[in-house]
Amino acid sequence: MQNYLKVKKEEEIKRRIAVDIFKAFDTVYIIGNIDFCVSRKVHVLDMFENRTDFFWAESKKGKSDIYASITQLILTIGKAKTYTKELPPMYIGAFDAVQIAFVPYSEIQHIFSQNDFNWNVTPSDHTTKEFKQIYSFIKESIDKNAALFDYERDESELKQFINNKFKIGNDIQNKIKIDKNNYIVIYNKWREAVKPTISINWDDIVDNLIDADFYLADLLSAKNITISEKLFVLLNDNRYNINKRIDKYGLISLQEVGFRDKGKAHTQFWNRYEHPPKEEYWEYIVNRRDLLVSQDVREIKGAYFTPQIWVEKAQQYLADVLGENWQDDYYIWDCAAGTGNLLTGLSNKYNIYASTLDKQDVNVMYERIDNGANLLKDNVFQFDFLNDDFSKLPQGLQEIINNPQKRKKLVIFINPPYAEAGNVKQRTGTGKNKDGVAKNNKSIYYKYSHLIGKAANEVFAQFLIRIYFEIAGCKIAEFSKLKLLSAPNFARIRQIFKAKLEKMFVVPSYTFDNVDGHFPIGFKVWDTDKKECFVKIKADVYIENGDYIGQKTIYSYDDVKGFLSKWLVEFKDKHNTPLGMMNSGRNDFQNQRLVYIKNQISDSAHSITITPTLTNIIPASIYFAVRKCIPATWLNDRDQFLYPIDGWEKDTEFHNDCLVYTLFNNNIQAKYGINHWIPYTERDVNARNKFESHFMYDFIKNRKFSTAAEQLLAAGLELWKYYHSKITELNVAAKEQINAGFYDIKEYFQGRNEKGKMNNKSNDAEYMRLIKAISYNANIISKKIEPKIYQYEFLKK
């Protein structure tokens, strides 16, 4: 075997490695963005075919830094969360034109379960803190295990390594073996197949039990009897025994739980897997129970990573507000500390307290202290802030909280959980509420929900309201969404949470690990000793690389006349012929995609709808253009659209600009009903038959349009003409073809992909020229409308 330095392309390197080294295996199957996979298929119980992966690798041409390549692979796997979806390989690694390296998957598995690791970094960026951290670990692992092979020098050793390590078990049934590599992925599959059939109310589970305790009882069992005595839950035939403990009489108390389906799903699931695993893995698996905390539970508990760039920025803002000696002058308590990364960089460990919900996170902080973290072990402790009484706090912290003067010198420095009872899918009717997110915190939820209303559904709001009432006078320095400041559902809590907002900055949500969506996250410094209701503040704005781009005014909206939806309903018309249906979405940018105009009047919607008619088409078009012509961004995501001030009523140019904008942005489709939205006649476009409706042409023919509107109408006319010149052969849908609207024409030329989504481009060059002209002119008219939106205060500047 020889090196491949003369090979110029990476794909050829991969092909040669597949043939020369892994010819006995399958190297065709590729997973996600992983460059190279080595696997083999086996049959399990003659019922289904299963793939066993031996090796996932990053490939490079030429001579590369092999450690960096493996680091990039780990970041790629972590970013895509491949480790939750696929049974892992025995090894991960990398190869280039000279060498190949292998790392046992079990050695890097723990990296994917860190609470405070930012998986949003670019895997190929070698400058990030995350890249450097993994790189150091990988180099040490490879050097220690001597799993790096040169193709020429180590040819025989490499072949022997693959022959010895890349084997499938030869047991009779070919069940899937369980080991340190794959037990977590199998747990994820168990949660889907078996957990729902266990007859238990998971919301009421106590004594720090998690569903993984039931999985471990299954995993470490033989013939449906758990064979390990170290577990919290034991499997006993067709039931589980839980909460094994000594009661007040000195007797063992056992609580039994059975199956809703008499164990059918349980039996079918475990027929696929050989268990228990080898005894050499038992201690490791039991001791790393923390790795089996599922992603939704981690989110509920607040497992959110605060990027170091924002940690440093927050500490800078605290110094700006409290003075450069604030760390010596103030006490600091992070009561949602996770593994303590928010406290990194603080200097006075004697003034710092850190608490977290999970014992394993406390253990991680202890390890960090042993390795030099500037914290005191006596000040790091397990504490459930939303349920535990303050009497459980360390004595020193209790003395601070119980002393009104010392409380004024206490800074609650937190990045609390962002979980809420409902998410976007639930709000749009495509999902359901997250069970057990807010109401599981029974102490604080039931204590304050009658005061703060719907805000109690947000975990971060529960943190803030307890701090406000029970640690009165303290400073609060917190990362959270802007709902406390701006959301309509938070109006009640704003009237109660009277604290002075001293300073604030906002950053993109997508820079935080485990946070979905694109919206602003704010860092806010509050003084609860100064009583005032929040009205507005100018917040500093930073983008993902830390650059400052200016300020944005954040409003409470509590003093406005109303929201835009209130204005819209004033124009409802039930007497004239409907021209379609407009869905209004909700009152902020995050729901911009829910604003649309369609034919289907009976179509279900999850917000206010209105049927455009002869009498209200102008207000409907104004609403539509106001909501759509400014693009939604992470920064404006929570801005609220408002009931406008006077003046818009007489601005006919504004009316007509909005109408023309709407003509080229609606979703009207002729197949769902009469198309009333064609702004031209049959003669204008040389149609082969009459249109079913001339409403729009008749409505606009005597109106006076701005130059921008006229240019957009002219560009549209050219597109309609071209479309009608192309439909030379009418099919059974001729009626729909003749009456095509703008959306229909785009669909005709662009088509749809295999998933049913409209393609972004067309192969028709003339169409692409015409559609670009329309986009260009539509953008001009959008920019023309935008200042009027602020002039009439549909939005606050």
Side-chain angles (χ1 to χ4, degrees):
M1 191 184 301
Q2 56 185 345
N3 65 44
Y4 309 98
L5 285 172
K6 294 182 180 180
V7 178
K8 300 299 182 183
K9 295 182 178 181
E10 184 178 317
E11 287 300 316
E12 179 60 16
I13 291 280
K14 289 158 63 176
R15 189 192 69 80
R16 296 276 294 274
I17 292 296
V19 172
D20 294 346
I21 300 177
F22 298 107
K23 61 183 177 181
F25 303 91
D26 177 10
T27 56
V28 176
Y29 187 85
I30 297 297
I31 299 170
N33 293 323
I34 298 171
D35 284 347
F36 189 82
C37 301
V38 177
S39 62
R40 184 177 289 168
K41 294 179 180 178
V42 295
H43 288 277
V44 181
L45 300 174
D46 295 326
M47 291 189 296
F48 66 95
E49 195 172 48
N50 185 70
R51 194 184 76 255
T52 296
D53 288 351
F54 298 107
F55 187 45
W56 294 349
E58 182 79 13
S59 62
K60 302 290 182 185
K61 64 181 180 179
K63 181 71 170 67
S64 66
D65 182 342
I66 210 77
Y67 308 117
S69 298
I70 299 176
T71 300
Q72 182 175 332
L73 174 62
I74 291 173
L75 288 169
T76 298
I77 294 169
K79 188 168 189 175
K81 292 184 171 61
T82 310
Y83 60 89
T84 68
K85 308 165 188 172
E86 300 284 343
L87 288 172
M90 296 177 180
Y91 294 88
I92 68 162
F95 58 82
D96 57 19
V98 177
Q99 58 191 346
I100 187 169
F102 302 85
V103 178
Y105 183 86
S106 60
E107 289 202 13
I108 59 95
Q109 182 169 246
H110 69 281
I111 295 174
F112 301 124
S113 299
Q114 296 180 92
N115 279 5
D116 56 354
F117 193 90
N118 181 15
W119 291 108
N120 290 319
V121 297
T122 302
S124 58
D125 185 352
H126 294 197
T127 65
T128 65
K129 173 176 68 74
E130 291 74 17
F131 192 98
K132 293 174 182 177
Q133 175 186 331
I134 296 178
Y135 182 96
S136 176
F137 175 81
I138 289 300
K139 187 176 188 307
E140 180 182 354
S141 176
I142 292 179
D143 292 347
K144 180 176 65 176
N145 294 305
L148 180 63
F149 300 94
D150 181 282
Y151 298 134
E152 292 183 302
R153 186 185 64 243
D154 306 318
E155 180 177 0
S156 61
E157 289 87 351
L158 174 58
K159 289 182 178 178
Q160 184 178 2
F161 177 86
I162 293 172
N163 288 337
N164 290 341
K165 303 294 185 181
F166 288 25
K167 290 182 177 179
I168 296 175
N170 294 319
D171 55 300
I172 297 174
Q173 291 186 316
N174 279 332
K175 289 187 177 182
I176 298 171
K177 291 181 178 293
I178 301 176
D179 55 28
K180 291 193 299 183
N181 290 340
N182 62 17
Y183 81 100
I184 294 177
V185 176
I186 293 172
Y187 158 67
N188 291 329
K189 295 178 182 296
W190 177 93
R191 290 187 76 243
E192 294 180 5
V194 179
K195 177 183 173 180
T197 70
I198 299 174
S199 185
I200 193 170
N201 184 349
W202 298 101
D203 291 341
D204 293 336
I205 196 167
V206 294
D207 291 342
N208 289 321
L209 288 174
I210 56 177
D211 57 22
D213 292 317
F214 293 80
Y215 168 70
L216 290 174
D218 286 352
L219 180 64
L220 299 179
S221 68
K223 297 181 179 179
N224 270 16
I225 303 293
T226 300
I227 55 180
S228 173
E229 294 295 324
K230 294 183 178 181
L231 304 181
F232 295 115
V233 177
L234 303 176
L235 178 66
N236 185 7
D237 194 20
N238 61 350
R239 61 193 180 277
Y240 296 98
N241 293 328
I242 64 174
N243 295 344
K244 182 178 180 180
R245 61 185 183 274
I246 304 298
D247 64 18
K248 64 181 180 180
Y249 302 109
L251 301 174
I252 292 179
S253 172
L254 295 178
Q255 187 176 8
E256 292 188 347
V257 175
F259 294 96
R260 294 187 175 95
D261 66 345
K262 299 182 179 179
K264 181 179 179 181
H266 181 271
T267 300
Q268 291 178 345
F269 181 85
W270 287 109
N271 278 343
R272 298 183 177 188
Y273 301 100
E274 182 183 341
H275 69 295
K278 291 181 180 179
E279 190 168 355
E280 64 193 75
Y281 301 135
W282 293 7
E283 185 174 2
Y284 173 86
I285 291 173
V286 172
N287 289 341
R288 293 316 309 266
R289 168 181 177 265
D290 60 296
L291 300 181
L292 295 175
V293 178
S294 61
Q295 187 65 32
D296 56 346
V297 173
R298 297 168 76 88
E299 290 176 359
I300 289 171
K301 291 181 176 181
Y304 294 102
F305 167 78
T306 311
Q308 192 61 32
I309 187 174
W310 308 137
V311 171
E312 295 172 3
K313 190 70 67 180
Q315 294 175 10
Q316 173 192 323
Y317 272 60
L318 277 166
D320 292 343
V321 174
L322 303 177
E324 61 179 327
N325 296 320
W326 75 280
Q327 294 188 52
D328 295 323
D329 297 339
Y330 287 84
Y331 307 101
I332 302 160
W333 179 20
D334 183 352
C335 55
T339 55
N341 78 297
L342 192 60
L343 304 173
T344 302
L346 296 181
S347 58
N348 189 353
K349 62 184 178 181
Y350 298 100
N351 280 7
I352 301 172
Y353 295 87
S355 62
T356 182
L357 184 64
D358 292 317
K359 180 62 177 175
Q360 59 262 33
D361 285 341
V362 174
N363 294 335
V364 171
M365 280 192 277
Y366 283 170
E367 290 178 14
R368 291 183 58 202
I369 292 170
D370 292 337
N371 290 304
N374 199 30
L375 299 169
L376 292 177
K377 283 189 177 180
D378 288 345
N379 289 359
V380 175
F381 53 97
Q382 184 180 8
F383 185 75
D384 183 348
F385 189 82
L386 298 183
N387 289 292
D388 286 345
D389 188 84
F390 284 166
S391 62
K392 296 183 179 180
L393 297 175
Q395 188 61 37
L397 186 54
Q398 286 191 53
E399 291 176 1
I400 296 169
I401 289 176
N402 293 332
N403 185 314
Q405 294 307 311
K406 286 187 176 182
R407 282 204 303 270
K408 294 180 181 181
K409 291 291 186 179
L410 175 61
V411 178
I412 306 295
F413 187 24
I414 53 172
N415 179 8
Y418 302 155
E420 58 181 305
N423 56 24
V424 172
K425 287 184 178 180
Q426 178 267 322
R427 291 193 298 274
T428 57
T430 58
K432 63 179 182 178
N433 280 330
K434 291 182 181 179
D435 295 330
V437 175
K439 294 185 180 180
N440 268 2
N441 308 310
K442 295 179 180 178
S443 176
I444 299 306
Y445 178 85
Y446 290 112
K447 187 174 184 178
Y448 294 111
S449 60
H450 69 287
L451 292 176
I452 64 177
K454 292 182 179 179
N457 288 335
E458 300 271 359
V459 176
F460 84 88
Q462 294 181 25
F463 270 82
L464 294 180
I465 204 65
R466 184 181 195 189
I467 294 168
Y468 179 79
F469 278 114
E470 300 180 25
I471 317 179
C474 73
K475 309 296 186 288
I476 305 175
E478 50 91 10
F479 286 92
S480 67
K481 301 175 184 178
L482 305 190
K483 290 186 175 184
L484 178 62
L485 307 182
S486 300
N489 285 344
F490 278 63
R492 282 177 63 181
I493 192 174
R494 280 194 291 275
Q495 298 305 311
I496 295 171
F497 189 87
K498 295 180 180 179
K500 180 175 176 56
L501 181 53
E502 300 281 7
K503 198 166 186 179
M504 174 181 176
F505 67 80
V506 295
V507 299
S509 62
Y510 51 82
T511 59
F512 288 69
D513 187 32
N514 290 336
V515 178
D516 294 327
H518 287 65
F519 53 86
I521 287 179
F523 176 73
K524 301 170 283 298
V525 182
W526 301 89
D527 188 342
T528 67
D529 196 42
K530 299 176 181 177
K531 303 301 182 185
E532 63 177 56
C533 289
F534 173 74
V535 177
K536 67 179 180 179
I537 191 173
K538 285 189 175 181
D540 296 331
V541 181
Y542 297 92
I543 55 177
E544 52 263 44
N545 63 0
D547 286 349
Y548 172 78
I549 62 170
Q551 290 188 315
K552 177 178 176 60
T553 303
I554 311 295
Y555 298 92
S556 70
Y557 302 110
D558 292 336
D559 58 348
V560 299
K561 181 178 180 180
F563 295 102
L564 191 55
S565 57
K566 177 182 176 182
W567 176 82
L568 180 65
V569 297
E570 294 179 0
F571 300 98
K572 282 203 170 187
D573 177 10
K574 297 182 179 180
H575 305 292
N576 292 286
T577 302
L579 309 174
M581 182 204 77
M582 182 172 72
N583 192 45
S584 67
R586 291 180 177 84
N587 279 298
D588 51 20
F589 274 97
Q590 68 171 313
N591 292 294
Q592 189 181 63
R593 64 185 179 82
L594 297 180
V595 180
Y596 54 80
I597 295 176
K598 286 180 154 184
N599 295 71
Q600 304 102 300
I601 296 173
S602 61
D603 190 24
S604 61
H606 302 280
S607 51
I608 295 171
T609 63
I610 186 173
T611 53
T613 67
L614 175 64
T615 62
N616 69 14
I617 191 168
I618 292 300
S621 297
I622 291 173
Y623 181 93
F624 186 84
V626 163
R627 290 299 312 271
K628 301 285 276 189
C629 76
I630 299 176
T633 67
W634 73 267
L635 186 56
N636 67 19
D637 189 71
R638 268 32 178 188
D639 289 0
Q640 299 288 327
F641 288 89
L642 306 174
Y643 195 112
I645 62 173
D646 294 340
W648 68 269
E649 303 95 326
K650 297 180 180 180
D651 192 342
T652 56
E653 185 172 302
F654 173 61
H655 298 177
N656 293 337
D657 285 344
C658 290
L659 175 60
V660 173
Y661 174 89
T662 303
L663 292 178
F664 292 90
N665 285 278
N666 64 70
N667 291 347
I668 294 292
Q669 293 177 270
K671 64 183 177 182
Y672 293 119
I674 298 175
N675 180 5
H676 299 286
W677 296 77
I678 304 174
Y680 315 107
T681 68
E682 301 90 339
R683 291 185 178 85
D684 290 335
V685 301
N686 196 27
R688 296 182 60 186
N689 211 330
K690 293 180 67 176
F691 294 155
E692 288 185 299
S693 171
H694 296 94
F695 170 86
M696 192 57 65
Y697 174 79
D698 292 337
F699 185 79
I700 69 174
K701 64 182 178 182
N702 295 319
R703 304 182 80 87
K704 184 178 180 180
F705 290 102
S706 66
T707 300
E710 287 180 342
Q711 289 175 340
L712 180 52
L713 284 167
L717 178 59
E718 294 305 309
L719 176 65
W720 251 270
K721 284 181 178 178
Y722 184 65
Y723 166 76
H724 281 279
S725 73
K726 299 293 287 185
I727 53 171
T728 55
E729 294 184 10
L730 299 181
N731 57 27
V732 292
K735 187 176 179 181
E736 295 170 12
Q737 287 183 319
I738 293 294
N739 291 280
F742 182 62
Y743 186 93
D744 292 320
I745 294 173
K746 288 198 300 180
E747 183 179 39
Y748 176 84
F749 285 105
Q750 294 172 207
R752 296 184 179 273
N753 61 23
E754 64 277 2
K755 295 182 179 180
K757 184 179 179 181
M758 189 183 295
N759 297 315
N760 294 324
K761 296 180 179 180
S762 169
N763 294 326
D764 189 311
E766 178 62 11
Y767 166 78
M768 291 304 298
R769 183 186 71 81
L770 294 170
I771 201 69
K772 285 179 181 179
I774 289 176
S775 297
Y776 174 80
N777 285 286
N779 186 58
I780 290 175
I781 206 166
S782 294
K783 296 298 183 185
K784 187 171 182 291
I785 292 170
E786 185 173 342
K788 298 289 183 74
I789 294 175
Y790 293 103
Q791 177 183 335
Y792 299 128
E793 296 188 8
F794 290 97
L795 286 171
K796 285 194 174 187
K797 194 69 173 179

